[in-house]
Every structure is written in structure tokens, then in C-alpha cells.
Amino acid sequence: MVNGEEGGSGNNGVQIRQRRRLPDFLQSVNLKYVKLGYHYLISHLLTLCLVPLMAVVVVEASRLSLDDIHQLWIQLQYNLVGFVVFSAVVVFASTVYIMSRPRSVYLVDYACYLPPSRLKVKYQQFMEHSKLTGDFDESSLEFQRKILERSGLGEETVVPEAMHYIPPRPSMAAAREEAEQVMFGALDKLFANTNVKPRDVGILVVNCSLFNPTPSLSAMIINKYKMRGNIRSFNLGGMGCSAGVVAVDLAKDMLQVHRNSYAIVVSTENITQNWYFGNKKSMLIPNCLFRVGGAAVLLSNWPTDRRRSKYKLVHVVRTHCGANDKAFKCVYQEQDDAGKTGVSLSKDLMAIAGGALKTNITTLGPLVLPISEQILFFVTLVAKKLFNAKIKPYIPDFKLAFDHFCIHAGGRAVIDELEKNLQLLPVHTEASRMTLHRFGNTSSSSIWYELAYTEAKGRMRKGNRIWQIAFGSGFKCNSAVWIALRNVKPSPNNPWEDCIHRYPVQLNL
């Protein structure tokens, strides 16, 4: 994990970069346009075939005289029964089709929690507090310092108030206070921005992995906002950083069953009682990466909400590798030899995440990739299998399927690997890197801070497709695909509104 965070740095790395030849821009541009042209041709092949057919039908219809139309009407009168039966079948089939279609799920709006500036923690302050607690030996302190330097986190991330005391005060009351501040802070903004009353909400899904009190977090929300008694509430625990997509998928399924309903998804994580005070290296990494954050999302299946909604949910694809023992234990909450509890990250984490990603995009690809990319992939695969050709596997260009990428800001290494393996450009991972820099790893809510960044930059246009992808314990890789219903402007109290002018910042990678 440490090696994964290091990247190419130092004098040798600089010399290697300087020795690289510049690309042949002429050939690159030509290839780009050839590929785009091929993509548009294949994607619109059906339309190109139907246009001439429709033209022939229109031309033939224009040649009909009034006498021809009269004769046609007479023929229909002689076959009235057949015509009525045919019309009834068409109407019945159309009704069944319309009624059986999945209901559209709209994202009306969402809100991200903005922690108070007094809780920000700088590198130096983090290290001083870690040293003063007296729980870490010199080796562990040096390890944490290196992780912080290579993590991609900036100097404005936030830890809970209980962690600012010396010694820290990780009590149950402090954990409840953190949960209330984050969840209620996001929900207050959401209700204010959407003018939806809490009692209008029929479905509530809350996800938080490591803090599951009794009564539940969902019950805390219902009590705070005095929601109605027949609300369908769910509380998801222990599902890791990808639980935000799981929660959206659950809300989507509930909205398919319950007509004309609002669903709220609250995604957060709780750090107060889950700080690790031991010296096991694999369990110290979460201390350096995880920070305070949360998001609240309002979903709707009301047809009338399409006009005011920001996005429409297109696909959710979930991949679970829990049947594999290594995958199951690569993110594992346990006690160390001294009996101190923490979350251990396996050295195989990146390899397991890569396998989960491969499975996920193999399922997602046929749903989102243009036909041109699927044909190229299929032809390459067949050529390799049948002719045993020394052909590299064709990697589909997901940039043709998506305009924006919200990659879970789990750490610099995760973002680096996805940028490399999916052949993305720096602009595609900018939202993820800046979210990691400004807010840290906020677990399942990070993909919403990234979407908010894209909106704050004014880059979201009508018809743009967004890919949210997250990894979590279990091990899971989950994807959600959205399409923008309009040119999306940032909502009031966007978490980036006071600092977006400073981003993107130059990262020392």
C-alpha cells in the first residue's frame, strides 16, 4: 500500500520523463478523427438505414389521390371486425408495455456536509497530536508521516472534534454528536434547496459502516425531522466505501414498487470511535486517509419532477467478490495483538480492487459503450482466441461512453491506477484528486463531493453522462451511471463555493 502511494518521484523519475520522446501529434489527431468517425457511423447505422425507408414511405403516401384514400376506407369497412381486433391488440400491447416499463428515477438534488473550519487539521498538527497521545512508537509515527506526504490529502481536511483533544475523547456521545452534525447538516441543506417537507419522504436509506448505534442512524433522522410513521427506512452497516451506490440501488428498487414517492439516501462514515491507537502498520493507514464528510440525496419517481431534477439514473452495476477469502479479508476490522481495534488494509488490496473493477466494467461495458467499441473488442477477442494471434486485448474507450468520472477518492494510488487502466486524461480524474486533497477520504460520500466539484466548475451540460465508481469492503466494486437532464448549476451551499476558485491545485505527486 505504501509503495502504491509513492508513484514516480525523485531525480531518476525526472530524468526518465525528460528522455521520453514527444508523441507524433499529426498521427494522434488523424487516428482520433478516424476513430470518432467510425464510432458515429456505427452508432447511427440503424438511423441511416431507417431514413431511406421512411423517405420511400412518405413519397408513396404523397402519391395517393383522394380516390385512392376513399378506396382504402371502403376496404377497411369490409374488414371492420379485423380492424377493430387489430386495433384492440395494439392498444392492449402498448398499455402492457408502458405499465411494465421500469419507472424513471430522478435525482432532484443533493447536499454535501461542509465541516466547520475550526476542525481542520494540518500535517504538522496531525503529527504533533499523534505523538502527544503516547500510543504510537517512533516507527509508527514515521510511517504515518510518509503516508500523509504521499496520500494526496491537503491541509484543510477535517477530523472529528473528539480527536482534537489531548488525549482524544472517543466516547459514544461524541460519536453520536459527529453523526448528528454530518447527517443533519447535509439534510438541512437538502430540504432547504428542494422545498420538500420531511413528511413527504416515503423511503429513507442510511449507510454508515463503522458506527451502528441503537436506535439506528435512520431512526435518529426520523426522530429529528418527525417523519411519517409508515416511512420505509433502512440502515446499512459494514458495507464500506461503496455503500453509497448500494444505498442508491436499494432506493431505486423501492421506487419501482412505490408509486409517486420520494426517497432520501444519506451516506456517511463515523471516525470518532474508529481511530486506531496501535502500532500495526496496516491498521494505521485509515487514520491518515479518512476524514469527516457526508451527503444527502433526494430521489424521486414522480413524472412531474423530471423538469426540476438534475439527473436521471440510468444504470447501477454491483460486483461482489466476497466468495474469495483474500478479497473478503483485504479490508478487515479486527483487534491487534494488544487488543486495540482498527481496520486493516491488506497488501493485496490494489490487486483485488483491480480484479473487482475488471468484473464490474465487463458487466457495465455492454450497457454503456457505443456499438463501435463493442465490435472492436469482440473482433480483437475472436482474433486472439481463434488464430492465437499475438494481439493485445483491446481496452474499450470509456471516454466515448462517459463525460465525467467520479472515482471514489480512497487514496492517491486508487485514482492513479484507474486513470492508467482506463486510459483517462488528467481532466477526468481532476474531481477525484481535488476532493481527496480538500476533504480527504470521506468514504461513501466522496463521489458526491466529486459531482459537486464538477458542477461548481460549470462543466455539467445537458445530456452529459456521469460514471460514479466506488470500492468497498467485502470486497465490492459498484457503479452508478447518471445522465444530466439540463445544464446543471451548483445548488446553494455547494461545498466548493468558497474555494472553487483555488482549484485545481498543483499536487506534489
Side-chain angles (χ1 to χ4, degrees):
M1 186 68 181
V2 179
N3 291 335
E5 295 287 356
E6 287 180 359
S9 60
N11 295 331
N12 293 335
V14 174
Q15 292 172 2
I16 290 172
R17 286 194 292 270
Q18 289 175 345
R19 287 198 299 266
R20 288 178 180 172
R21 294 177 57 188
L22 289 174
D24 187 334
F25 293 109
L26 181 59
Q27 290 187 9
S28 299
V29 170
N30 288 339
L31 179 61
K32 173 184 176 182
Y33 286 114
V34 168
K35 190 172 183 179
L36 283 175
Y38 172 72
H39 156 61
Y40 287 126
L41 175 65
I42 297 297
S43 298
H44 296 86
L45 185 61
L46 182 61
T47 304
L48 293 174
C49 294
L50 286 176
V51 168
L53 180 62
M54 293 297 296
V56 170
V57 172
V58 171
V59 170
E60 290 297 324
S62 64
R63 292 178 179 176
L64 293 176
S65 62
L66 291 177
D67 186 56
D68 293 331
I69 296 174
H70 180 68
Q71 291 297 324
L72 181 61
W73 174 249
I74 292 174
Q75 292 294 326
L76 289 176
Q77 286 181 323
Y78 282 118
N79 297 279
L80 184 60
V81 175
F83 177 72
V84 170
V85 171
F86 175 76
S87 300
V89 170
V90 170
V91 171
F92 177 77
S94 301
T95 303
V96 170
Y97 172 74
I98 293 172
M99 295 297 292
S100 62
R101 287 179 63 194
R103 293 186 178 89
S104 296
V105 174
Y106 303 109
L107 193 163
V108 180
D109 206 349
Y110 64 98
C112 298
Y113 174 67
L114 181 63
S117 57
R118 61 184 175 82
L119 298 181
K120 292 179 181 179
V121 56
K122 296 181 180 294
Y123 288 176
Q124 184 178 356
Q125 183 184 1
F126 181 95
M127 293 308 304
E128 286 178 356
H129 278 229
S130 296
K131 186 175 182 179
L132 290 173
T133 61
D135 293 297
F136 307 108
D137 58 30
E138 288 299 324
S139 176
S140 295
L141 290 170
E142 179 62 16
F143 179 78
Q144 291 182 78
R145 185 188 65 79
K146 289 181 178 179
I147 291 295
L148 277 174
E149 290 176 351
R150 301 163 183 167
S151 65
L153 272 69
E155 299 274 12
E156 297 184 79
T157 61
V158 167
V159 297
E161 188 163 2
M163 296 297 107
H164 284 266
Y165 291 98
I166 300 175
R169 303 175 183 177
S171 64
M172 173 65 80
R176 284 183 182 275
E177 185 177 352
E178 179 194 348
E180 290 173 354
Q181 288 176 351
V182 174
M183 295 191 305
F184 300 163
L187 284 166
D188 287 345
K189 291 181 184 179
L190 183 66
F191 287 131
N193 291 345
T194 60
N195 293 320
V196 170
K197 297 178 181 178
R199 292 191 65 84
D200 293 335
V201 178
I203 300 161
L204 173 65
V205 184
V206 181
N207 69 269
C208 180
S209 284
L210 297 174
F211 182 59
N212 293 284
T214 300
S216 66
L217 298 178
S218 58
M220 290 168 59
I221 293 173
I222 293 170
N223 176 260
K224 162 71 175 178
Y225 294 99
K226 309 304 177 189
M227 292 178 164
R228 65 199 201 197
N230 64 344
I231 190 170
R232 277 85 176 174
S233 65
F234 303 87
N235 202 95
L236 308 180
M239 300 195 76
C241 300
S242 67
V245 178
V246 176
V248 167
D249 190 36
L250 175 57
K252 177 205 71 175
D253 289 344
M254 294 298 295
L255 288 172
Q256 297 304 312
V257 178
H258 302 282
R259 292 174 173 272
N260 300 332
S261 298
Y262 285 116
I264 282 184
V265 171
V266 178
S267 296
T268 186
E269 192 50 84
N270 196 283
I271 300 174
T272 297
Q273 283 192 308
N274 295 287
W275 203 265
Y276 175 61
F277 294 99
N279 291 289
K280 188 175 179 179
K281 300 292 193 297
S282 62
M283 299 172 75
L284 283 169
I285 298 172
N287 286 9
C288 303
L289 297 178
F290 282 87
R291 297 293 184 264
V292 173
V297 184
L298 178 65
L299 303 175
S300 171
N301 61 8
W302 287 83
T304 53
D305 275 330
R306 178 185 175 91
R307 288 186 299 174
R308 70 167 183 149
S309 296
K310 289 185 172 184
Y311 306 99
K312 177 183 175 181
L313 183 61
V314 183
H315 301 292
V316 176
V317 174
R318 294 166 56 182
T319 300
H320 206 302
C321 304
N324 180 287
D325 290 340
K326 282 188 176 181
F328 175 71
K329 288 197 171 184
C330 72
V331 181
Y332 201 77
Q333 187 179 27
E334 60 184 352
Q335 289 182 325
D336 63 12
D337 294 337
K340 297 182 178 180
T341 303
V343 175
S344 175
L345 302 182
S346 167
K347 61 181 180 181
D348 299 320
L349 177 59
M350 292 306 300
I352 291 167
L357 172 65
K358 181 180 178 181
T359 304
N360 190 267
I361 64 177
T362 301
T363 306
L364 181 66
L367 301 176
V368 298
L369 286 170
I371 297 176
S372 56
E373 287 296 292
Q374 297 188 46
I375 290 176
L376 285 172
F377 178 79
F378 179 75
V379 169
T380 305
L381 182 64
V382 170
K384 189 174 182 65
K385 293 292 184 182
L386 294 183
F387 305 108
N388 197 24
K390 293 182 179 180
I391 302 173
K392 291 183 178 180
Y394 179 73
I395 300 175
D397 188 354
F398 279 90
K399 298 188 293 294
L400 293 174
F402 302 110
D403 302 283
H404 306 285
F405 297 79
C406 296
I407 301 167
H408 166 54
R412 206 194 83 202
V414 174
I415 302 172
D416 287 346
E417 286 300 309
L418 263 73
E419 181 180 86
K420 175 184 175 182
N421 292 330
L422 297 178
Q423 300 178 350
L424 303 180
L425 301 174
V427 68
H428 295 129
T429 57
E430 180 183 315
S432 300
R433 294 190 189 280
M434 297 306 105
T435 295
L436 183 64
H437 181 271
R438 172 61 183 86
F439 294 101
N441 181 348
T442 59
S443 189
S444 56
S445 64
S446 68
I447 53 178
W448 299 108
Y449 285 93
E450 293 161 17
L451 189 59
Y453 178 90
T454 304
E455 292 180 7
K457 279 294 183 181
R459 298 172 180 171
M460 193 63 68
R461 294 289 178 263
K462 182 178 181 179
N464 282 180
R465 286 183 170 243
I466 305 98
W467 182 12
Q468 291 180 324
I469 182 166
F471 301 90
S473 59
F475 188 83
K476 299 181 290 296
C477 176
N478 298 326
S479 296
V481 179
W482 306 84
I483 186 169
L485 299 176
R486 52 187 167 89
N487 294 344
V488 181
K489 296 181 179 179
S491 300
N493 297 309
N494 181 287
W496 296 92
E497 66 181 9
D498 64 337
C499 63
I500 193 63
H501 60 281
R502 296 191 276 114
Y503 287 88
V505 297
Q506 184 65 39
L507 300 177
N508 297 320
L509 302 180

